[in-house]
Amino acid sequence: DAGITQSPRHKVTETGTPVTLRCHQTENHRYMYWYRQDPGHGLRLIHYSYGVKDTDKGEVSDGYSVSRSKTEDFLLTLESATSSQTSVYFCATALSGTDYEQYFGPGTRLTVT
Amino acid sequence: KNEVEQSPQNLTAQEGEFITINCSYSVGISALHWLQQHPGGGIVSLFMLSSGKKKHGRLIATINIQEKHSSLHITASHPRDSAVYICAVGAASGSRLTFGEGTQLTVNP
């Protein structure tokens, strides 16, 4: 295991509230990713980071922002949660790009009511 | 058309059967990943390959770069193999993976 934790593991929030999910890793991996998983869709990339303060958008980045101020932490923020953001969110890390194995966190189940 | 297509979407087998899950992709890649998602939701990497074949226990993964196709085989299947198997591809020198929708495998005793 790459020692990846996510917090919280479960959250219920109301529409319009801000939400921050945290991914923490202990492996000193350079790359970190945030995905969402929904029925009928594969894992979809929200944002990723290729180093401290270096981030880029994925295919479903609207409504999400990220920050990475230190190697071990990657934060995903929903500025104003909507019901369409109800999903399971996975964090993953990799030593480098896609030629390296990705290690996944346990997931966060977010419900926006 | 999705960049990564898996077949079948659902597969039910009897314990002991040989199982094959297929993955086709439409882009040039540097590596293909097979992942397993347990019923509890956790995701683990099974294989990463860019050519040929890899084996780990009862699992075998193959890739044909020219045909843009990969297969995951499970020999002597067991109920504990029941899971969702996910194929993902990474573009050459890329930073991100593109995922298939997954294959739900159920192995009955």
Side-chain angles (χ1 to χ4, degrees):
Chain A
D1 287 338
I4 303 168
T5 57
Q6 293 184 229
S7 58
R9 293 291 314 279
H10 301 271
K11 186 169 183 67
V12 179
T13 192
E14 294 184 348
T15 298
T17 60
V19 176
T20 295
L21 308 183
R22 179 182 183 236
C23 178
H24 178 78
Q25 56 127 339
T26 58
E27 293 299 308
N28 201 33
H29 285 173
R30 181 179 165 208
Y31 279 67
M32 297 185 76
Y33 302 84
W34 276 109
Y35 298 102
R36 60 179 290 173
Q37 186 177 44
D38 305 289
H41 296 274
L43 287 159
R44 293 183 291 174
L45 181 65
I46 305 171
H47 283 278
Y48 71 99
S49 169
Y50 48 97
V52 173
K53 295 189 178 1
D54 292 322
T55 65
D56 203 354
K57 295 179 179 181
E59 60 184 301
V60 290
S61 59
D62 287 348
Y64 301 95
S65 63
V66 290
S67 66
R68 191 166 178 205
S69 59
K70 46 187 178 177
T71 299
E72 55 266 36
D73 288 327
F74 193 32
L75 303 180
L76 176 70
T77 297
L78 290 67
E79 301 291 347
S80 178
T82 67
S83 58
S84 64
Q85 293 176 313
T86 292
S87 187
V88 180
Y89 292 85
F90 287 96
C91 172
T93 73
L95 189 61
S96 189
T98 56
D99 291 355
Y100 291 83
E101 187 175 358
Q102 288 197 8
Y103 297 86
F104 285 78
T108 294
R109 184 173 295 277
L110 176 67
T111 303
V112 183
T113 62
Chain B
K1 188 181 190 310
N2 293 333
E3 289 185 356
V4 182
E5 297 276 354
Q6 287 186 235
S7 63
Q9 286 187 316
N10 295 281
L11 180 57
T12 300
Q14 290 300 120
E15 184 173 356
E17 287 184 359
F18 180 84
I19 289 163
T20 296
I21 300 170
N22 297 298
C23 176
S24 297
Y25 53 92
S26 57
V27 298
I29 68 168
S30 62
L32 183 142
H33 300 244
W34 282 103
L35 309 168
Q36 180 191 54
Q37 185 167 25
H38 299 295
I43 301 172
V44 296
S45 176
L46 296 175
F47 295 103
M48 187 187 68
L49 63 167
S50 56
S51 65
K53 175 179 173 179
K54 287 190 176 181
K55 184 176 189 289
H56 184 227
R58 296 179 295 105
L59 273 60
I60 303 165
T62 64
I63 188 168
N64 185 317
I65 296 293
Q66 287 73 31
E67 295 185 2
K68 294 187 168 62
H69 180 268
S70 176
S71 293
L72 176 68
H73 305 287
I74 304 175
T75 62
S77 60
H78 190 276
R80 65 175 175 267
D81 297 326
S82 298
V84 175
Y85 292 84
I86 301 168
C87 171
V89 300
S93 301
S95 301
R96 59 183 75 184
L97 295 178
T98 301
F99 295 83
E101 291 189 23
T103 295
Q104 172 71 61
L105 171 66
T106 302
V107 181
N108 294 317

